[in-house]
Amino acid sequence: MKAIRVHEFGGPEVLRHEDAPEPAAGSGQLIVSIRAAGVNPVETYIRSGNYARVPTLPYTPGTDGAGVVASVGKGVTRFAPGDRVYLAGSLTGTYAAQALCEERSVFALPARASFAQGAAMHIPYATAFRALFHRAHARGGETALIHGASGGVGVAAVQLARAAGLQVAGTAGSDRGRQLVAAERAHLALDHNSPGHFNEALAFTAGRGFDVIVEMLANVNLGRDLPILAPGGRVVVVGSRGNVEMTPRDAMMRDGSILAMSLWNASPEDLFSIHSALAAGLESGALRPVIGQEIPLSEAPRAHAAVMAAGAYGKVVLVP
Ligand code: NAP
């Protein structure tokens, strides 16, 4: 089968489109024919070799994907060959024609969702869900700022927060991104490249501040997020690409909490629970992943450049 293989860490050019052996399903495992694979920023960090998790070389990148069950191993009860599914991780990597998966990492893909949308579910939606509900304990009636709402996690966070009855402001760096944030029904779309956007955000809460801030670029924003927290407000750091200066007293004055998360820390039980909720949202239509770019698997280097470019618009996916 064709797959992307990485033999050395480095820039996007180390993503090589090659022949790789087809996986075989053991007990409790499935083989899924991948129709779309989600591309996430973390896969570029891992590929560069400068990330906390360094895989053994060579490896096939990717944890997110969707496709059709090709075969099942002994003891698999929830799926049969031909089922449409999406993946919350795989054992062999999803940038490939086929992936080997544990049954518990596989979820039904409703007919209304495309394979590309299924490939947008795991890291983006599970991260947004965990940030909002497991970490920040967001509740209906609260206010939320999604700081970086135009990308994969941001669109998911806007949809989840809206569905849960929060008042939502979201930011993007481009006009097109802000149009997307508004189209996903954020109550307010702001420009995170404008220095005045913190004041505009605060005005949206009538000066009270936000109960919840989901932060995609903490090294840039955290210091200015704290003064726009409501009393008892919670910032969840989802993304950060460097260091930041902040004034702890800004959090103290508000009994504020600075929380952080990594989806890697979610237990299998947490992930199963999160995806059970997400799959229900996909089925009902409450969750509608937005696909900005579909790129052939053989052009994976271009996909890695695209996911790190400014002007995010939903998800980048690879199509084998
Ligand atoms: P993405 O699709 O590339 O989106 C990146 C988002 O960040 C876009 O909305 C982008 O907006 C926005 N952004 C750029 N500059 C910003 C600024 N100054 N202030 C606020 N937002 C800004 O990436 P993603 O998949 O949504 O992931 C977002 C971040 O979370 C990444 O750093 C990723 O590594 C991290 N992440 C962490 C976890 C975890 O477990 N902790 C899980 C998933 C993702 P424009 O392009 O419109 O400027």
Side-chain angles (χ1 to χ4, degrees):
M1 68 166 182
K2 288 290 184 195
I4 297 297
R5 301 287 287 162
V6 175
H7 295 266
E8 58 183 329
F9 298 114
E13 69 284 354
V14 303
L15 300 168
R16 292 190 352 210
H17 191 233
E18 293 181 348
D19 288 315
E22 288 195 3
S27 178
Q29 299 175 339
L30 296 78
I31 303 293
V32 175
S33 287
I34 300 291
R35 299 290 172 81
V39 177
N40 295 285
V42 70
E43 289 132 32
T44 73
Y45 317 152
I46 294 171
R47 185 213 68 224
S48 75
N50 300 316
Y51 189 65
R53 290 181 159 229
V54 181
T56 306
L57 295 169
Y59 74 97
T60 294
T63 61
D64 298 4
V68 174
V69 175
S71 61
V72 301
K74 269 195 198 148
V76 169
T77 54
R78 290 168 48 231
F79 299 102
D83 287 351
R84 297 172 88 249
V85 294
Y86 78 86
L87 310 183
S90 83
L91 298 166
T92 51
T94 55
Y95 290 17
Q98 294 198 329
L100 174 67
C101 312
E102 301 279 10
E103 183 179 16
R104 71 178 178 208
S105 305
V106 179
F107 297 86
L109 182 67
R112 72 190 306 157
S114 68
F115 290 117
Q117 287 181 308
M121 288 306 291
H122 176 46
I123 288 187
Y125 277 79
T127 298
F129 190 100
R130 190 163 167 83
L132 283 167
F133 304 121
H134 288 194
R135 300 296 288 141
H137 299 288
R139 300 174 60 183
E142 290 193 317
T143 52
L145 171 64
I146 312 301
H147 220 162
S150 50
V153 179
V155 166
V158 169
Q159 292 177 1
L160 286 164
R162 279 296 262 127
L166 283 90
Q167 294 290 309
V168 180
T171 77
S174 67
D175 283 340
R176 189 167 170 254
R178 284 187 289 282
Q179 281 162 19
L180 172 61
V181 172
E184 292 307 322
R185 297 174 54 249
H187 299 92
L188 178 69
L190 293 168
D191 179 359
H192 51 230
N193 294 325
S194 150
H197 79 277
F198 290 91
N199 289 339
E200 292 173 60
L202 188 59
F204 169 74
T205 67
R208 181 178 168 272
F210 286 89
D211 299 298
V212 175
I213 300 180
V214 178
E215 183 50 71
M216 305 306 167
L217 202 57
N219 55 301
V220 172
N221 297 318
L222 189 58
R224 296 193 66 193
D225 285 339
L226 301 182
I228 62 165
L229 277 181
R234 295 86 71 198
V235 186
V236 187
V237 175
V238 168
S240 186
R241 293 178 180 167
N243 298 334
V244 63
E245 229 178 76
M246 62 179 171
T247 305
R249 188 169 282 167
D250 289 332
M252 291 158 62
M253 298 302 285
R254 296 164 177 83
D255 276 11
S257 302
I258 303 169
L259 305 164
M261 63 153 286
S262 168
L263 192 61
W264 302 116
N265 296 329
S267 67
E269 293 73 24
D270 281 347
L271 287 177
F272 191 81
S273 166
I274 290 171
H275 279 290
S276 299
L278 295 177
L282 252 192
E283 192 173 1
S284 73
L287 303 182
R288 306 160 308 279
V290 173
I291 308 304
Q293 291 188 66
E294 295 193 30
I295 294 176
L297 181 66
S298 57
E299 297 175 35
R302 183 157 71 83
H304 271 208
V307 79
M308 295 302 282
Y313 191 94
K315 281 300 301 178
V316 176
V317 301
L318 287 167
V319 183

